[in-house]
């Protein structure tokens, strides 16, 4: 995960915190939630750090939401 973010998601993206990965490519990572709202609840994140949704580059957002 690029950028200097220190959020739990950035740490998961850099493999500093373990996660049950479902899918990973060069732009995104999908993993099982540790606090699932329902069985099979996954989270998808871009690998490039962004402070909020509006700051995610379009290419990274598209790769994460497909």
């Amino acid at each position: 995960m690029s950028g200097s973010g220190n959020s739990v998601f950035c740490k998961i993206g850099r493999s500093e915190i373990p996660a049950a990965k479902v899918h990973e490519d060069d732009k995104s990572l999908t993993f099982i939630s540790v606090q699932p709202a329902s069985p099979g609840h996954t989270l998808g994140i871009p690998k490039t750090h962004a402070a909020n949704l509006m700051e995610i580059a379009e290419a990274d957002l598209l790769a994460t939401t497909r």
Side-chain angles (χ1 to χ4, degrees):
M1 184 163 222
S2 61
S4 59
N6 286 315
S7 72
V8 67
F9 297 115
C10 290
K11 290 177 181 179
I12 290 170
R14 292 190 302 259
S15 297
E16 294 172 7
I17 296 176
K21 296 178 182 178
V22 175
H23 175 78
E24 183 172 19
D25 59 31
D26 61 327
K27 292 192 175 283
S28 66
L29 172 64
T30 304
F31 55 95
I32 300 290
S33 175
V34 296
Q35 295 181 328
S38 62
H41 179 186
T42 60
L43 300 168
I45 60 171
K47 286 190 170 180
T48 302
H49 175 76
N52 60 57
L53 183 63
M54 301 306 291
E55 289 187 9
I56 300 172
E58 183 177 359
D60 294 327
L61 183 60
L62 289 172
T64 304
T65 58
R66 288 186 181 179

